[in-house]
Amino acid sequence: MEDAPQKDQKEPASEKKDKLGAAARKSNQKPEKNSDKKKARAPKTPQNTKIAFNKDIDVDFKEPLDDLSKGTIKAYRAHGSNKMPSSLVAFICDKTLTPRRQATIKYSKIFNVSLPRFVESGKIFVPSEKEERFCFIYENNFGKKLLPPDHPQAALAFRPDDVMSNIVKPLIKTIIELNNKDMVHGEIWPGNMFHSGIGAGEGIKLGDCLTASASSLLPALYEPVERAMADPVAKGRGTLADDLYALGVSLAVMMRTADPLAGLTEAEVIERKIDKGSYTTLIGRDRFSGAMLELLRGLLYDDASQRWDLEDIEAWLDGRRLSPKQSSKRIKAARPLIFANKKYTRPELLATDLHKHPEETARFVENGELHQWVDRAIEDKGIKVRLEQVEKDLALLDRGEGYNKRLAAFLAVGLYTDSPIFYDNIKFLPSGFGKAMTTAFRRGENIQPFANAMRHVFVIPALRYKKSGNLTPILTKFDSCRAFMQQTNIGFGIERCMYVMDVDCPCLSPVLDKYYVSTPEELMRAFEQVCSQDKPQSLIDRHVLAFLSVKDRKNVEPYVAELRSKEAYKNILGQLQTFATIQSRARLENFPAIAHWFADNLTVVFDKFHDAKRKEFLQAKVEKAKKIGNLSQLSQLFEDPLLYQSDVGKFQQAAEQFKKLDAEKEKIETKLKDKNGYGQELGQQTGSVVAMFLSFVIILITAYVTLVKG
């Protein structure tokens, strides 16, 4: 089930590194790539640890609430005033995990006593980290945790009657209300449940579910097999069926008297679920009867299509006996297959291990051993048909470097269509790919497998083998990202793919590393602080342009050519026009620090003008405009095309006049150098003129004298 895009409830005011990851970061530091070489500065640090979230809420970072914290997501006491509840709790999100910001509107419309009351969300400065983090504020009435972290075993031995009245009924109602708002909880398990302390599970309340993507914090035990196999941040959006399964596992943990899985690893638990089924694996030697047994069996079906839905549960709550559904048995081969020195009788388990031995997988395909095993030892036409199709589709795979890894991933989906895609060292469900990629990038981990998965075509046909859900949107995204990966221009590449694949991802530019920027407006305000403290070489790097191209395409698209230009004056004007457009269309406040930064970097633009007076005039205008901080006013000084045409036209006229004068000068100098030429000729001409003039004067005088005497 997919959370529809929504605005945030509140808009805030204000190596395990691979070659590709290192290159991406390095590219963001090159001047020609429009990025900043200097380390990002933190926002201005308040002088105390009590930070104002807004005018009505303060968060006290001296008062951590350890019982409410969830690993790297820390909880702190908060205080409300005016109409806000006085006792609040602030959950500070992990920087590397993407919170469910777009689900806050839906969640805030649910009024249920079994859910913590949501108050506000937004970004806040965290003194200990010296950076901004996203934060969720709830009313602080959680109670005591049902399963403390130091509990010796996951078996609470609650009485079934208490579980029915205090836990089952209120939580079923809560799941129904979430489903009515097109939401899943994604974190239903006893470690995220709270009670009032009066009785076993009395006054049950589910904990926060918004601070990280759905199921990313949920232990694998509480996930269906397919989701448990994926990396925690790569599970993608959950479904109602997943929430119901998690509830079933939670009820089993609450009522059983011993933990049959104590000491087993997650992989061993998954293998046992595949081999014996979830119900048998989770219950162990405990025995339940009556209605509760029926409920557990209904919720713990491994086949999601057979698992009880809300209609079944409501009928059960009304006291109706339901005919038990026939759970489809997992396929077991008549004889084992030896792969990498291990015996396999179930194709699902083989599928999960192929990626660990890609060379061995390629050998099995080439010598036909895998095909023979499926054909002779497995009585399942579906697998045989898919395997035949896989063998035909192998021609689509690029046989260059890494072919065996792509083959293993491709083949695994054919054997086990519900499984994650196992590729290289990542395991992802389709809708979880984006968040897994951004998390790996933010943690400085190897992102080369993600780049390869998008660059090569094998993922798209592999996804088509999967039978669950509507995969058209994610297929479209993979197809788009494959095109982006083939382009090296700023605004494309893996940076663009991050924001396409993970719509909740904030801007990951190193210049903004200490800020939480999720909208173009927040981008402007963050750069205002950056420019007031530092002088970055550029405001728009690969990440900023990719972020804006996805979040605000209409505002940035007209200036992309300038932003990609290698001519410095065009690039700086493109940046100015982009920021001015965002400020103008969003009707934002003035940004004097950004304006000062642009004024200091317009030298390359002024150098393009030939008219000194015009240059002085523009410089004076810029000095005046930067004090105001109106970027539109600053940008308009350079937007008139006649400004440049006039300057160029007059320069060309002056150049032509200069050329003529220079030619005349050269001609005169050449003649002057000729002693027998230019000087003699000029003297003769001058002498002739003087002689003619004197002769004319003598003739006039003679004529006058003759007339007088006569």
Side-chain angles (χ1 to χ4, degrees):
M1 187 177 296
E2 183 174 346
D3 294 336
Q6 298 282 350
K7 276 191 175 180
D8 289 343
Q9 179 72 7
K10 170 184 178 296
E11 181 177 313
S14 7
E15 194 156 284
K16 199 178 175 183
K17 294 182 180 179
D18 61 285
K19 294 180 180 178
L20 180 65
R25 292 170 178 80
K26 187 177 180 181
S27 69
N28 285 331
Q29 297 175 347
K30 293 180 180 179
E32 64 270 25
K33 292 296 183 182
N34 301 326
S35 187
D36 184 21
K37 284 185 176 179
K38 298 181 180 179
K39 187 177 180 181
R41 287 278 190 94
K44 294 180 180 179
T45 307
Q47 298 303 310
N48 55 53
T49 56
K50 183 175 284 188
I51 306 298
F53 178 78
N54 59 26
K55 64 183 181 66
D56 296 325
I57 300 175
D58 292 325
V59 178
D60 193 343
F61 286 95
K62 283 186 177 180
E63 292 193 64
L65 300 176
D66 295 334
D67 193 46
L68 296 179
S69 295
K70 302 186 294 183
T72 56
I73 297 173
K74 303 300 181 182
Y76 296 90
R77 192 176 301 281
H79 306 276
S81 58
N82 297 326
K83 295 182 179 181
M84 290 290 177
S86 59
S87 181
L88 301 170
V89 57
F91 287 94
I92 308 301
C93 297
D94 184 333
K95 181 179 181 178
T96 66
L97 299 176
T98 307
R100 298 169 68 185
R101 295 184 294 106
Q102 298 184 56
T104 54
I105 290 293
K106 296 177 182 180
Y107 186 95
S108 65
K109 294 178 179 178
I110 300 174
F111 301 95
N112 185 292
V113 295
S114 294
L115 287 173
R117 183 192 164 199
F118 171 79
V119 177
E120 283 283 4
S121 69
K123 60 185 180 180
I124 189 171
F125 179 81
V126 181
S128 61
E129 304 297 332
K130 297 182 179 180
E131 64 185 22
E132 291 177 346
R133 295 283 183 86
F134 203 79
C135 172
F136 289 89
I137 309 289
Y138 294 93
E139 190 171 358
N140 189 7
N141 57 356
F142 285 80
K144 296 181 179 179
K145 188 168 288 188
L146 195 63
L147 182 66
D150 58 350
H151 197 279
Q153 58 182 355
L156 302 180
F158 288 173
R159 293 175 60 247
D161 290 344
D162 290 335
V163 171
M164 173 66 78
S165 59
N166 298 332
I167 298 175
V168 173
K169 290 182 178 180
L171 291 191
I172 290 298
K173 182 181 178 182
T174 302
I175 292 174
I176 290 174
E177 291 196 38
L178 287 165
N179 184 65
N180 289 339
K181 296 296 182 182
D182 195 28
M183 272 192 72
V184 297
H185 190 278
E187 206 175 333
I188 298 176
W189 72 292
N192 193 37
M193 294 180 187
F194 302 84
H195 65 97
S196 62
I198 299 173
E202 192 166 338
I204 197 72
K205 187 185 293 291
L206 290 172
D208 157 74
C209 66
L210 300 174
T211 50
S213 57
S215 300
S216 60
L217 300 179
L218 186 64
L221 176 68
Y222 298 85
E223 291 277 30
V225 169
E226 295 77 17
R227 292 176 65 80
M229 290 178 175
D231 295 327
V233 293
K235 298 174 185 176
R237 297 178 178 89
T239 66
L240 170 64
D242 300 326
D243 267 357
L244 293 176
Y245 181 91
L247 176 62
V249 179
S250 299
L251 297 177
V253 169
M254 292 176 196
M255 292 189 295
R256 68 191 183 185
T257 58
D259 181 6
L261 304 175
L264 297 184
T265 64
E266 283 188 3
E268 289 170 335
V269 171
I270 291 171
E271 186 171 342
R272 187 172 291 189
K273 281 185 178 182
I274 291 175
D275 193 46
K276 298 182 179 298
S278 289
Y279 178 83
T280 303
T281 298
L282 293 164
I283 300 304
R285 295 182 180 180
D286 279 291
R287 293 293 178 265
F288 303 106
S289 60
M292 195 57 72
L293 171 62
E294 191 177 7
L295 177 63
L296 286 175
R297 287 195 179 278
L299 294 178
L300 294 177
Y301 273 111
D302 289 300
D303 185 349
S305 65
Q306 297 296 314
R307 194 174 302 146
W308 276 15
D309 56 21
L310 289 178
E311 185 178 344
D312 294 323
I313 295 172
E314 289 176 329
W316 173 82
L317 286 172
D318 289 339
R320 282 183 278 169
R321 300 283 297 181
L322 301 178
S323 299
K325 296 182 179 181
Q326 295 298 318
S327 181
S328 57
K329 294 182 179 180
R330 294 191 182 273
I331 304 159
K332 189 172 184 178
R335 62 176 178 82
L337 173 71
I338 308 299
F339 176 77
N341 299 319
K342 183 178 177 180
K343 291 182 179 181
Y344 293 87
T345 58
R346 298 193 184 276
E348 298 96 334
L349 293 175
L350 175 62
T352 63
D353 285 348
L354 291 177
H355 73 286
K356 300 176 183 177
H357 310 280
E359 286 73 23
E360 184 76 0
T361 300
R363 186 182 67 80
F364 263 50
V365 173
E366 290 170 1
N367 66 18
E369 190 173 345
L370 177 62
H371 184 85
Q372 289 179 3
W373 181 66
V374 170
D375 190 50
R376 298 175 183 177
I378 296 178
E379 296 181 1
D380 185 281
K381 292 183 179 180
I383 290 183
K384 294 178 182 179
V385 171
R386 287 197 305 272
L387 193 58
E388 290 173 358
Q389 186 61 48
V390 166
E391 291 176 347
K392 292 179 182 178
D393 289 343
L394 289 179
L396 298 173
L397 300 190
D398 176 11
R399 290 186 172 267
E401 183 180 357
Y403 168 77
N404 291 343
K405 292 180 180 180
R406 294 189 288 276
L407 171 62
F410 198 63
L411 187 61
V413 179
L415 287 172
Y416 186 18
T417 57
D418 290 331
S419 75
I421 290 181
F422 302 95
Y423 175 64
D424 211 341
N425 64 339
I426 57 175
K427 297 170 285 187
F428 63 93
L429 289 166
S431 62
F433 181 88
K435 285 180 171 47
M437 175 169 56
T438 55
T439 295
F441 181 84
R442 296 167 89 177
R443 290 176 177 173
E445 295 175 351
N446 186 0
I447 59 172
Q448 190 66 47
F450 296 96
N452 291 340
M454 292 182 290
R455 185 178 288 116
H456 298 285
V457 74
F458 79 96
V459 172
I460 295 176
L463 289 177
R464 293 196 178 104
Y465 291 135
K466 302 184 75 63
K467 59 185 179 182
S468 57
N470 178 19
L471 294 174
T472 301
I474 192 67
L475 284 170
T476 302
K477 286 185 176 183
F478 266 104
D479 200 38
S480 297
C481 287
R482 191 162 62 90
F484 294 149
M485 290 299 296
Q486 294 172 355
Q487 302 185 56
T488 58
N489 284 333
I490 181 174
F492 288 113
I494 198 167
E495 296 87 0
R496 179 72 165 267
C497 298
M498 288 181 183
Y499 305 109
V500 169
M501 284 292 190
D502 185 0
V503 296
D504 289 324
C505 181
C507 184
L508 302 179
S509 169
V511 184
L512 302 173
D513 183 58
K514 299 297 182 180
Y515 298 83
Y516 192 93
V517 173
S518 58
T519 66
E521 294 78 14
E522 290 178 359
L523 182 85
M524 296 289 293
R525 295 184 177 114
F527 270 124
E528 177 68 9
Q529 291 194 47
V530 169
C531 292
S532 69
Q533 301 175 63
D534 207 345
K535 299 299 178 185
Q537 289 186 348
S538 178
L539 300 188
I540 296 184
D541 58 18
R542 294 185 68 89
H543 269 287
V544 172
L545 182 53
F547 174 81
L548 290 175
S549 296
V550 174
K551 304 285 186 179
D552 199 13
R553 186 175 178 181
K554 290 183 179 179
N555 282 350
V556 72
E557 197 170 48
Y559 315 113
V560 167
E562 287 80 5
L563 294 172
R564 291 177 181 156
S565 175
K566 294 182 179 180
E567 296 186 76
Y569 84 97
K570 288 184 179 179
N571 187 281
I572 197 67
L573 287 178
Q575 294 188 58
L576 175 57
Q577 291 165 331
T578 300
F579 278 70
T581 302
I582 296 172
Q583 181 189 33
S584 175
R585 293 186 179 178
R587 299 181 180 180
L588 301 178
E589 65 273 17
N590 289 329
F591 297 104
I594 296 179
H596 274 73
W597 183 89
F598 276 113
D600 293 342
N601 285 273
L602 286 172
T603 303
V604 291
V605 178
F606 293 133
D607 289 346
K608 299 298 292 184
F609 288 96
H610 307 93
D611 189 332
K613 291 184 178 179
R614 188 182 297 272
K615 185 188 298 186
E616 291 174 1
F617 172 79
L618 288 172
Q619 288 173 331
K621 287 284 188 180
V622 167
E623 286 298 311
K624 184 177 180 181
K626 77 177 185 181
K627 297 176 182 178
I628 301 173
N630 188 321
L631 302 181
S632 296
Q633 182 179 343
L634 193 60
S635 176
Q636 287 170 3
L637 295 173
F638 304 94
E639 288 180 358
D640 185 2
L642 296 178
L643 177 70
Y644 303 95
Q645 293 176 11
S646 175
D647 181 76
V648 171
K650 290 182 178 180
F651 174 75
Q652 288 177 343
Q653 291 177 6
E656 189 66 29
Q657 183 66 26
F658 178 82
K659 185 178 179 180
K660 291 180 179 179
L661 291 173
D662 191 59
E664 184 67 22
K665 174 186 174 185
E666 185 178 351
K667 182 178 178 180
I668 292 173
E669 288 178 343
T670 301
K671 290 182 177 181
L672 286 173
K673 290 177 182 179
D674 186 359
K675 297 179 180 180
N676 298 320
Y678 181 72
Q680 184 176 3
E681 181 182 352
L682 183 60
Q684 290 174 347
Q685 291 175 353
T686 303
S688 298
V689 172
V690 171
M692 289 176 64
F693 178 76
L694 291 175
S695 299
F696 182 71
V697 170
I698 293 172
I699 292 171
L700 287 176
I701 293 173
T702 303
Y704 177 76
V705 171
T706 303
L707 288 173
V708 171
K709 289 181 177 182

